[in-house]
């Protein structure tokens, strides 16, 4: 199984990149961890789209997603929504092909330093991503990353909730084969 994983952030010290890495390694397969910094694109506008077409990075990311079997995305929350970089990436990719996620099975997660664990952006993604053909098998929000994560989830209750989710996602994946 080819697993694509990333944090929806461009921060060099992204906790969501760390969380996506951890989550992806709960599954067996070839893991491709990408960094959104490698897919930087100009700010989307219809004028730029008409004048210059689609950035090569949108095509590259499209192909990487299409070539993957399973997606693990950890959403970063900026002011209750997507990070600007992720939103811009989604805008370009959805203009290239509205089927951004190609019906690939997906684990959608989030974390933040705060007690809400980026729940607002996770809710937004849960609502929006299916419109771009996301097949979301499960979702999880980890609050207070600094208190609850150290090379794994340290809070027993949250760790059990996460492991139960992983078990359910694995069972669903095995049925999809």
């Amino acid at each position: 199984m080819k697993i694509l994983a990333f944090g929806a952030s461009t921060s060099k010290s992204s906790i969501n990149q760390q969380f996506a890495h951890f989550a992806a390694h709960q599954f067996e397969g070839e893991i491709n961890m990408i960094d959104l910094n490698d897919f930087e694109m100009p700010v989307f506008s219809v004028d730029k789209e008409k004048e210059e077409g689609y950035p090569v990075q949108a095509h590259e990311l499209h192909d990487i997603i299409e070539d993957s079997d399973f997606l693990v995305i950890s959403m970063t929350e900026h002011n209750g929504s997507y990070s600007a970089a992720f939103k811009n990436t989604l805008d370009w990719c959805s203009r290239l092909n509205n089927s951004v996620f190609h019906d690939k099975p997906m684990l959608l997660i989030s974390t933040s330093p705060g007690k809400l664990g980026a729940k607002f952006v996770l809710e937004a993604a849960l609502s929006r991503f299916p419109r771009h053909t996301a097949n979301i098998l499960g979702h999880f929000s980890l609050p207070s990353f600094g208190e609850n994560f150290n090379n794994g989830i340290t809070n027993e209750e949250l760790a059990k909730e996460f492991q139960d989710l992983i078990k359910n996602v694995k069972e669903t994946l095995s049925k999809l084969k």
Side-chain angles (χ1 to χ4, degrees):
M1 178 168 66
K2 293 180 182 177
I3 302 167
L4 173 63
F6 64 92
S9 169
T10 54
S11 170
K12 295 288 184 202
S13 59
S14 170
I15 60 177
N16 279 281
Q17 189 76 357
Q18 293 173 53
F19 194 35
H21 182 269
F22 169 74
H25 280 85
Q26 304 306 301
F27 299 90
E28 290 184 29
E30 174 189 328
I31 298 172
N32 180 11
M33 286 294 306
I34 63 169
D35 182 335
L36 282 188
N37 288 299
D38 296 333
F39 299 92
E40 189 173 326
M41 297 177 232
V43 175
F44 175 80
S45 76
V46 291
D47 295 334
K48 195 170 287 290
E49 179 184 32
K50 284 179 189 173
E51 294 165 11
E52 301 174 20
Y54 303 107
V56 67
Q57 297 89 340
H59 289 279
E60 290 171 349
L61 186 55
H62 171 272
D63 292 346
I64 290 169
I65 292 171
E66 190 172 41
D67 190 46
S68 300
D69 300 315
F70 179 56
L71 310 176
V72 176
I73 303 175
S74 188
M75 299 302 298
T76 300
E77 187 172 276
H78 289 184
N79 297 315
S81 191
Y82 305 129
S83 68
F86 179 78
K87 176 67 168 82
N88 190 57
T89 301
L90 182 61
D91 288 345
W92 275 114
C93 289
S94 69
R95 295 294 286 208
L96 176 64
N97 181 346
N98 190 54
S99 180
V100 174
F101 301 111
H102 301 281
D103 292 312
K104 302 295 180 172
M106 178 187 295
L107 174 62
L108 190 57
I109 56 179
S110 67
T111 191
S112 74
K115 294 183 189 313
L116 295 179
K119 281 189 177 183
F120 294 121
V121 73
L122 187 61
E123 290 171 4
L126 286 166
S127 172
R128 184 74 208 168
F129 284 15
R131 296 179 195 165
H132 298 292
T133 66
N135 178 9
I136 303 168
L137 302 185
H139 64 278
F140 180 84
S141 171
L142 180 66
S144 306
F145 183 82
E147 297 170 27
N148 292 319
F149 191 89
N150 184 7
N151 296 319
I153 300 173
T154 57
N155 175 293
E156 278 186 39
E157 187 176 312
L158 292 170
K160 181 178 181 341
E161 183 182 338
F162 184 75
Q163 287 307 317
D164 288 346
L165 170 68
I166 296 300
K167 179 182 175 199
N168 290 337
V169 170
K170 285 179 177 180
E171 288 173 2
T172 304
L173 282 170
S174 70
K175 292 175 187 173
L176 294 175
K177 289 182 180 179

